[in-house]
Amino acid sequence: MSKNGPLKEVIDKLLRAYGYQDQLDEIELLKAYDEVVGTVFVKHTKEVYFKNKTLFIKLDSAALKQELSYAKEAIKEKLNQMMGKRIVEEINIK
């Protein structure tokens, strides 16, 4: 093992240096979103994207928007836990 640490750390540093870490984090975050919110919400999600530490979610059901808004904090914490770092600061539901 090199004195720079595990291979994952070296790869993460390399990705950050070339500016790819944010895109990879977004891809992983969107995969985690599907897993965290479940099938019903995923089916009614019309748009989901991540920008400036905010996860934007657009749903086609007013009832599900309300339900998701009640669970925002829990979803944010679960996503950050799955990502292994604090990446989501806010969730914006439309």
Side-chain angles (χ1 to χ4, degrees), residues 26-51:
E26 183 173 3
I27 291 167
E28 290 301 314
L29 180 64
L30 297 180
K31 284 186 209 173
Y33 167 79
D34 287 357
E35 189 175 325
V36 168
V37 299
T39 309
V40 172
F41 286 101
V42 170
K43 285 181 182 178
H44 291 278
T45 299
K46 293 302 169 197
E47 185 178 7
V48 62
Y49 64 94
F50 183 69
K51 184 176 182 181

Side-chain angles (χ1 to χ4, degrees), residues 29 50 53 55 76 79-80 86-91:
L29 180 64
F50 183 69
K53 298 188 181 244
L55 183 65
K76 181 174 68 173
L79 288 170
N80 286 329
R86 188 148 187 87
I87 187 170
V88 179
E89 296 290 334
E90 295 290 328
I91 295 178

Side-chain angles (χ1 to χ4, degrees), residues 14-23:
L14 188 64
L15 291 171
R16 273 195 298 277
Y18 284 100
Y20 292 112
Q21 188 62 50
D22 290 344
Q23 291 92 334

